[in-house]
């Protein structure tokens, strides 16, 4: 697909046409691949409608730049194309409006050897390499298209011989690195016996509040009783306790009516991670709680990366903006972004202390959020998510594919406990250890391997690669202007 995009932009004839075509391409891909955003209840006008329109205009300048880069020498065109493409994906995947879906890395999920080098560059390396390879193939397609016969075609290929060789060697080196990583055994320092619960209920339906908790409790007990060993941790999904736990501990001593939550904690005698709102100084946060078997709050982490225009309403302090949102979606206030990266601790059956962090919902799709959590000393990422509103398997798998790169980037285990899927455990090489089927109520008790906390090159230097590519592009533009002045 990217080969054809390269070929189309190369031959479209003008900067304006390239800008329009790329804007249309990006918005159309977003609309077709993320169609399930239309199920985000009252927010569909923002999550799908406004985002599709916004991407058209946001992508147009990059289409303009892509066409400009494609006017360079044949051997340099793929470099410009890949660099600008990567910067586009970086820009759409960072900031409070970020949405890291529909990107080049997502198509590489099954290429396990090919994707292992993201521990060095982050996924941005794939955002560069994939379009670079496509550009090389696009140059071959272009050579064929303008050749009148096979002799002329092979003559044209000689002009890009160095490009083809470089692309082949780059692809070979990337795969050899991946093969070496996949064949290198790494031993976990210990294990965390974890109960993952997928209740497959609608937490947005407050009328089913007690039933949802009872379902989660039943599934938790089922996994515990079927396990050979006592679990070290139970993990429930985001928004499992709709009423804030902190300040309402007495409430949960009676609810659910015939099986109170506090009794469940005592009965299972196991710490639990659970999603519940947290209110502090009249501000409300989407939070994850670590609770002891006695119901004590051992820690709270508040979600930092919120869904813009759904969880978080920008500029809602302005009366005019607040009034607009009230009329459009019925409310103008939302969650408050958290500010602190927090690490939780729990002891396993060997009495070893394990440090872990809990990215909430689509936070596991953001390299910057997860690398900051990891660098606090985390030994395992435990994500809690509620994607049940999407109603589609594609949405669940897409979220997982985006998130699973965090395990490879940071060389750490990723655990996902979700409302309806994809609940899964992924090892530091991106391999699925255990999982639950989508949109089915279920639970499992699994040994989560815990590896010694280390910092990969990416964890140490974070987004160095897109910054380097950006500086190289700026330097090239500066040199071009200087040459132009000298020639004139």
């Amino acid at each position: 697909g990217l080969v054809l995009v390269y070929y189309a932009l190369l031959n479209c004839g003008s900067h304006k046409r390239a800008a329009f075509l790329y804007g249309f391409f990006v918005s159309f891909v977003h609309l077709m691949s993320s169609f399930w955003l239309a199920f985000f209840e009252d927010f569909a006008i923002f999550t799908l409608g406004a985002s599709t329109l916004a991407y058209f205009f946001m992508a147009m300048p990059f289409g303009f730049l892509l066409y400009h880069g494609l006017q360079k020498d044949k051997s340099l065109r793929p470099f410009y194309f890949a660099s600008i493409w990567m910067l586009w994906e970086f820009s759409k995947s960072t900031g409070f409006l970020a949405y890291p879906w529909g990107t080049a890395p997502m198509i590489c999920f099954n290429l396990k050897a090919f994707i292992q080098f993201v521990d060095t560059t982050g996924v941005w390396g794939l955002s560069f390499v994939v379009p670079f390879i496509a550009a090389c193939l696009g140059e071959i397609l272009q050579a064929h298209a303008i050749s009148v016969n096979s002799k002329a075609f092979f003559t044209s290929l000689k002009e890009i011989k160095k490009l083809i060789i470089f692309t082949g060697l780059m692809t070979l080196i990337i795969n050899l690195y991946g093969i070496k990583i996949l064949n290198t055994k790494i031993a976990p320092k210990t294990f965390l016996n974890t109960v993952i619960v997928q209740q497959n209920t609608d937490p947005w339906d407050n009328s089913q509040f007690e039933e949802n908790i009872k379902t989660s409790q039943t599934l938790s007990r089922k996994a515990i009783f079927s396990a050979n060993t006592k679990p070290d941790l139970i993990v429930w999904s985001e928004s499992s306790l709709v009423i804030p736990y902190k300040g309402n501990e007495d409430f949960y001593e009676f609810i659910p009516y015939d099986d109170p939550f506090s009794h469940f904690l005592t009965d299972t005698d196991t710490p639990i991670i659970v999603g519940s709102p947290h209110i502090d100084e009249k501000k409300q946060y989407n939070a994850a709680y670590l609770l002891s078997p006695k119901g004590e709050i051992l820690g709270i982490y508040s979600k930092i990366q919120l869904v813009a225009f759904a969880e978080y309403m920008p500029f809602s302090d302005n009366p005019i903006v607040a009034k607009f949102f009230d009329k459009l979606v019925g409310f103008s206030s939302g969650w408050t972004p958290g500010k602190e990266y927090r690490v939780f601790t729990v002891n396993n059956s060997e009495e070893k202390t394990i440090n872990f962090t809990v990215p909430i919902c689509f936070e596991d799709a953001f390299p910057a959020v997860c690398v900051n959590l990891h660098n606090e000393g985390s030994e395992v990422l435990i994500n809690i998510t509620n994607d049940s509103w999407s109603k589609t398997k594609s949405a669940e798998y897409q979220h997982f594919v985006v998130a699973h790169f965090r395990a490879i980037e940071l060389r750490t285990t990723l655990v996902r406990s979700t409302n309806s899927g994809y609940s899964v455990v992924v090892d530091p090489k991106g391999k699925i250890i255990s999982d639950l089927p989508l949109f089915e109520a279920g639970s499992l008790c699994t040994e989560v391997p815990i590896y010694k906390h280390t910092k990969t090159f990416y964890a140490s230097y974070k987004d160095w690669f897109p910054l380097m590519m950006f500086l190289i592009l700026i330097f090239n533009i500066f040199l071009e202007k200087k040459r132009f002045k000298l020639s004139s």
Side-chain angles (χ1 to χ4, degrees), residues 284-338:
Q284 185 163 272
Y285 300 87
N286 185 354
Y289 287 71
L290 174 61
L291 305 179
S292 74
K294 295 180 179 179
E296 302 165 325
I297 299 173
L298 302 178
I300 301 174
Y301 166 71
S302 298
K303 186 178 180 183
I304 293 172
Q305 184 79 39
L306 298 175
V307 182
F309 300 110
E311 292 181 315
Y312 170 60
M313 298 297 185
F315 315 114
S316 58
D317 292 337
N318 186 302
I320 297 175
V321 176
K323 187 176 181 181
F324 170 76
F325 285 130
D326 279 330
K327 284 189 175 182
L328 194 63
V329 294
F331 73 93
S332 58
S333 61
W335 301 111
T336 300

Side-chain angles (χ1 to χ4, degrees), residues 89-100:
E89 293 196 346
F90 178 77
S91 67
K92 80 182 288 287
S93 302
T94 54
F96 84 97
L97 286 174
Y99 182 68

Side-chain angles (χ1 to χ4, degrees), residues 85 122 200 283 332 337 339 437 457 477 482:
W85 190 290
N200 195 34
K283 292 182 179 180
S332 58
K339 296 181 180 179
F457 190 89
I477 292 170
K482 192 173 181 179

Side-chain angles (χ1 to χ4, degrees), residues 350-454:
E350 298 177 336
E351 291 302 318
K352 291 184 178 180
T353 300
I354 295 168
N355 300 319
F356 65 95
T357 52
V358 187
I360 300 173
C361 194
F362 80 153
E363 281 191 319
D364 62 355
F366 293 89
V369 173
C370 290
V371 73
N372 287 331
L373 287 169
H374 175 79
N375 287 350
E376 291 294 316
S378 171
E379 295 167 307
V380 56
L381 294 174
I382 301 179
N383 170 253
I384 58 173
T385 289
N386 167 30
D387 279 347
S388 60
W389 54 266
S390 69
K391 304 177 183 178
T392 59
K393 291 185 177 181
S394 60
E396 313 301 325
Y397 284 133
Q398 286 174 24
H399 188 170
F400 162 68
V401 168
V402 177
H404 103 289
F405 283 107
R406 306 295 83 78
I408 306 172
E409 285 174 337
L410 305 173
R411 295 301 176 195
T412 190
T413 307
L414 169 68
V415 178
R416 303 188 75 238
S417 182
T418 71
N419 186 346
S420 56
Y422 187 33
S423 297
V424 61
V425 180
V426 184
D427 78 0
K429 298 178 183 179
K431 178 184 176 183
I432 296 173
I433 299 174
S434 55
D435 63 350
L436 289 168
L438 297 179
F439 293 103
E440 292 182 21
S443 59
L444 60 88
C445 185
T446 182
E447 282 191 332
V448 175
I450 306 298
Y451 298 87
K452 182 181 178 181
H453 173 81
T454 57

Side-chain angles (χ1 to χ4, degrees), residues 221-275:
R221 289 190 174 103
K222 180 181 178 182
I224 292 170
F225 293 150
S226 63
N228 295 323
T229 58
K230 182 180 180 297
D232 305 312
L233 183 68
I234 300 171
V235 187
W236 287 7
S237 66
E238 176 192 18
S239 306
S240 292
L241 302 183
V242 178
I243 296 174
Y245 183 81
K246 186 177 181 180
N248 295 288
E249 291 90 339
D250 293 343
F251 173 80
Y252 286 103
E253 292 182 3
F254 301 95
I255 298 297
Y257 178 72
D258 53 351
D259 187 14
F261 179 67
S262 61
H263 177 263
F264 161 79
L265 294 177
T266 304
D267 184 38
T268 54
D269 190 31
T270 305
I272 184 172
I273 284 287
V274 61

